[in-house]
């Protein structure tokens, strides 16, 4: 998975990682397949438009929700009947596609209505993803807004030659100064904790691609559409 990288290398590599390597680590199998629909013959009225994808593994929910190296970032009611845990990488194009297209509808339809509790966890595959997650964590109460902005602007920082300058500009809009930006990205404990979240996901729950979702303990890989997620969630309500 992620190689051991010093805090110096994390910052310096923001200006050095070739763009072609930056988007490594997404699920190879998902986003193309996730959008495929059945061919031309219309379905009978009683047949759902999209069938629920089959799970690709499972995890014990009690173990999955145990505290890790970092406190979980959570949206939704604590007693929601469905809990979704997403593992994502900030430089993953499939993760950005899910965040920008499916997640807003998921939030409106299920999280904001009390049906889903959503937990977001870091699974970086490269130093740029690590840096982006560190900035989100340093944003404190603005964690989710920062993640949203970073995904929306992913192509403006993840694949450019000088990602450090690009991330600094985004961070300044979120209220960072040059000093707080540098302090965040040289916080060795935070970097170690982000890596620990990723390592736990891989070693304890079998996460090996992003995005990966655990929905009430069942594992699904890939950037699913809202129709696919609805088919899974509605069957659990």
């Amino acid at each position: 998975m992620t190689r051991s990288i010093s805090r110096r290398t994390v910052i310096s590599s923001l200006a050095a990682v070739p763009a072609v390597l930056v988007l490594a680590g997404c699920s190879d199998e998902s986003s193309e397949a996730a959008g495929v629909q059945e061919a031309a013959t219309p379905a009978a009225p009683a047949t759902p438009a999209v069938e629920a994808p089959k799970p690709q593994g499972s995890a014990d929910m009690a173990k999955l929700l145990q505290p890790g190296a970092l406190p979980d970032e959570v949206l939704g009611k604590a007693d929601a009947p469905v809990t979704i845990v997403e593992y994502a990488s900030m430089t993953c194009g499939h993760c950005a596609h899910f965040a920008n297209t499916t997640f807003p509808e998921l939030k409106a339809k299920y999280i904001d209505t009390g049906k889903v509790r959503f937990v977001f966890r870091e699974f970086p595959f490269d130093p740029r993803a690590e840096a982006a997650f560190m900035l989100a964590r340093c944003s404190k109460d603005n964690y989710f807004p920062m993640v949203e902005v970073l995904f929306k602007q992913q192509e403006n920082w993840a694949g450019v030659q000088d990602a450090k300058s690009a991330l600094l500009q985004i961070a300044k809009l979120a209220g960072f100064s040059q000093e707080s930006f540098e302090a965040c990205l040289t916080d060795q404990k935070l970097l170690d904790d982000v890596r620990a979240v990723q390592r736990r996901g891989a070693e304890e729950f079998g996460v090996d691609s992003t995005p990966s979702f655990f929905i009430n303990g069942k594992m699904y890989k890939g950037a699913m559409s809202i129709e696919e997620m609805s088919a899974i969630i509605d069957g659990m309500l």
Side-chain angles (χ1 to χ4, degrees), residues 49-66:
V50 174
E51 290 187 9
K54 297 199 181 321
Q56 296 161 281
S58 63
D60 178 79
M61 279 300 290
K63 185 177 179 184
L64 184 66
L65 295 177
Q66 285 175 355

Side-chain angles (χ1 to χ4, degrees), residues 25-176:
C26 292
S27 169
D28 293 328
E29 42 200 38
S30 59
S31 78
E32 293 86 357
V36 174
Q37 297 183 1
E38 304 227 331
T41 308
T47 304
V50 174
E51 290 187 9
K54 297 199 181 321
Q56 296 161 281
S58 63
D60 178 79
M61 279 300 290
K63 185 177 179 184
L64 184 66
L65 295 177
Q66 285 175 355
L70 288 168
D72 277 333
E73 296 292 343
V74 182
L75 294 173
K77 292 174 60 177
D79 61 352
V82 175
T83 295
I84 298 175
V85 178
E86 178 187 358
Y87 282 90
S89 179
M90 291 305 305
T91 51
C92 168
H94 297 312
C95 300
H97 177 76
F98 175 82
N100 296 334
T101 61
T102 302
F103 184 76
E105 292 186 74
L106 177 71
K107 185 174 184 297
K109 187 175 181 181
Y110 294 105
I111 299 171
D112 292 347
T113 58
K115 297 174 182 176
V116 163
R117 180 173 180 253
F118 181 82
V119 180
F120 187 78
R121 287 183 180 166
E122 295 90 348
F123 202 87
F125 281 93
D126 56 75
R128 295 183 181 202
E130 290 178 333
F133 278 131
M134 291 170 75
L135 290 171
R137 284 285 179 174
C138 290
S139 298
K140 306 294 184 186
D141 292 342
N142 289 320
Y143 180 89
F144 280 107
M146 189 66 170
V147 166
E148 180 182 357
V149 168
L150 288 166
F151 272 138
K152 282 183 176 175
Q153 297 195 27
Q154 188 186 76
E155 61 185 39
N156 295 330
W157 63 268
V160 300
Q161 189 63 34
D162 184 2
K164 181 181 177 182
S165 295
L167 283 172
L168 176 59
Q169 293 310 308
I170 294 171
K172 283 183 174 179
L173 293 174
F176 284 78

Side-chain angles (χ1 to χ4, degrees), residues 171-194:
K172 283 183 174 179
L173 293 174
F176 284 78
S177 64
Q178 176 83 41
E179 292 73 22
S180 61
F181 175 82
E182 296 279 351
C184 180
L185 295 187
T186 53
D187 184 338
Q188 186 64 42
K189 184 179 186 309
L190 177 57
L191 175 59
D192 291 343
D193 288 345
V194 167

Side-chain angles (χ1 to χ4, degrees), residues 87 123 196-208 214:
Y87 282 90
F123 202 87
V197 172
Q198 190 234 29
R199 187 166 57 250
R200 181 181 176 223
E203 294 176 356
E204 295 188 25
F205 308 120
V207 179
D208 60 7
F214 292 90

